[in-house]
Amino acid sequence: MNEELKKIQKNMEKFHQEVSPALIPLYPGINLCYLTFSTNSFSVHHKAMPHIIQINYCKAGQIVWEMKCGNRIYLNPGSFSLHTMKTCMDSVLTFPNDIYQGLSIYIDLQEVSSNPPELLNGSTISETILPKIFRKNDAPVFLAGNEQTESIFSAFFNQPEELKLPYQKIKTLELLLYLSKTELTSTQRLSGYKTEQICVVREIHDQLTRHMEQRITIEELSKKYLINPTTLKTAFKSIYGTSIAAHIKEHRMEQAAKMLKETGKSIAEIARAVGYDSQSKFTAAFKTYFKVLPKEYRKKFPS
């Protein structure tokens, strides 16, 4: 398994802003990899490996993973997915916000079955997890995450150097135990969106972020781009992680902060530039977002 995974990792490293260790061996047949990307998209090609499960967890950013077989994975912070490495042998990973941080765990079920971690010896997890999760056409499984899974995944990050490996080993076993007792229903499988719909949603996103001075309703967008309003809202949230209103408000606030730091424009001018006709409404929104008034924020960055 390791040689093929190292080839995949080497391909990924070309797109890393920060290159983590290629693979961290945890147990025979179980490897961990941390991922930090700062790019728009890239392609992955490897041999079909139906005996290897890949678990992907999103810590920050978003990812749209389109596979040649037609399956898609959408991950937002806190969510995670599982699929066999037969499913993703030819795929394209797209990062809607041009950033992504997370991790992948690779589990060779053949190797783990013959040489399981001591604590799992006799548990038959490696013999049952594959048919249980992928009983239909190797389709990826998406889980939105909950308090328990977040407790597991968060422990993979920000640990003291001397404790990293013990936490990685313990939390990987805890994750496998969690999955072994989880009933995966159809509602946990990600809803699929056609490629054309994804393109439309991304075009709408670009339109909104390029013209933040404008206020456009969902109904106006749906008519202009010929997409059902409900589909637009649900697809946008699946791809970008939040509602259209919340996502664009975040862009407005970040753009306003940038203008306060880098330009001499008045607060009223900045308010209009990011879509607020009322300076008072802009000031209230800015304070809610940054916990400080616009004029006080500007004082922190004297020109």
Side-chain angles (χ1 to χ4, degrees):
M1 174 180 75
N2 281 358
E3 289 307 311
E4 189 63 29
L5 291 180
K6 285 176 182 177
K7 290 178 185 177
I8 299 169
Q9 183 65 20
K10 189 173 181 180
N11 181 43
M12 286 183 172
E13 284 177 1
K14 294 187 294 184
F15 302 92
H16 273 230
Q17 185 180 45
E18 302 172 12
V19 181
S20 302
L23 287 171
I24 302 170
L26 302 179
Y27 301 98
I30 302 178
N31 293 274
L32 168 68
C33 176
Y34 290 96
L35 303 174
T36 301
F37 296 110
S38 180
T39 185
N40 180 265
S41 66
F42 68 87
S43 301
V44 174
H45 306 282
H46 58 76
K47 294 190 299 185
M49 294 180 281
H51 60 290
I52 296 178
I53 291 177
Q54 183 174 349
I55 302 173
N56 307 284
Y57 168 75
C58 174
K59 184 176 187 291
Q62 288 89 33
I63 185 172
V64 179
W65 196 336
E66 300 216 34
M67 302 175 183
K68 188 177 181 180
C69 59
N71 289 313
R72 296 184 184 89
I73 295 173
Y74 305 83
L75 290 183
N76 298 302
S79 59
F80 64 104
S81 65
L82 304 90
H83 65 269
T84 70
M85 292 190 70
K86 173 186 175 183
T87 306
C88 65
M89 61 181 182
D90 291 298
S91 53
V92 177
L93 288 76
T94 302
F95 308 97
N97 288 344
D98 298 335
I99 59 168
Y100 178 80
Q101 183 182 9
L103 61 80
S104 292
I105 298 172
Y106 303 94
I107 303 171
D108 185 327
L109 290 160
Q110 294 174 351
E111 192 170 350
V112 172
S113 178
S114 61
N115 190 10
E118 184 178 356
L119 289 175
L120 299 184
N121 205 355
S123 68
T124 72
I125 284 178
S126 59
E127 290 86 357
T128 60
I129 190 170
L130 182 61
K132 177 180 180 180
I133 295 178
F134 305 106
R135 49 180 171 255
K136 290 185 179 179
N137 304 318
D138 287 327
V141 174
F142 163 84
L143 294 101
N146 54 46
E147 187 175 343
Q148 186 174 352
T149 59
E150 189 58 28
S151 173
I152 294 171
F153 283 113
S154 63
F156 281 92
F157 300 88
N158 303 319
Q159 298 293 351
E161 191 64 35
E162 67 275 13
L163 297 179
K164 280 184 178 179
L165 188 58
Y167 266 104
Q168 291 162 351
K169 288 186 171 185
I170 290 170
K171 290 300 176 178
T172 296
L173 295 185
E174 188 178 348
L175 177 62
L176 288 176
L177 290 169
Y178 172 84
L179 291 172
S180 71
K181 65 179 184 180
T182 300
E183 289 297 327
L184 300 174
T185 66
S186 59
T187 58
Q188 292 170 303
R189 295 186 181 271
L190 207 76
S191 298
Y193 296 102
K194 295 179 181 178
T195 302
E196 307 82 59
Q197 291 175 325
I198 295 172
C199 291
V200 168
V201 170
R202 295 196 70 187
E203 187 177 347
I204 289 171
H205 173 271
D206 293 344
Q207 159 80 12
L208 293 173
T209 53
R210 281 197 307 265
H211 301 284
M212 286 184 283
E213 76 283 357
Q214 300 177 0
R215 291 279 181 170
I216 307 175
T217 66
I218 298 289
E219 289 70 25
E220 290 171 332
L221 289 169
S222 66
K223 288 179 182 178
K224 180 176 179 179
Y225 290 92
L226 304 177
I227 183 171
N228 180 275
T230 301
T231 301
L232 170 56
K233 289 187 285 188
T234 54
F236 192 101
K237 188 169 184 178
S238 288
I239 295 171
Y240 291 97
T242 59
S243 67
I244 295 176
H247 187 80
I248 301 307
K249 183 177 181 179
E250 180 178 346
H251 276 274
R252 286 191 164 107
M253 293 298 102
E254 295 295 340
Q255 178 63 18
K258 182 178 180 181
M259 294 176 72
L260 286 166
K261 288 189 288 185
E262 300 177 2
T263 76
K265 291 185 176 182
S266 69
I267 292 175
E269 289 175 313
I270 292 174
R272 287 193 293 272
V274 296
Y276 287 85
D277 292 331
S278 165
Q279 181 177 330
S280 61
K281 288 183 180 179
F282 164 73
T283 298
F286 191 93
K287 185 176 181 181
T288 299
Y289 189 84
F290 285 104
K291 311 302 180 186
V292 64
L293 292 169
K295 62 181 180 180
E296 294 170 348
Y297 184 89
R298 172 171 269 170
K299 287 178 183 178
K300 296 180 180 180
F301 305 94
S303 56

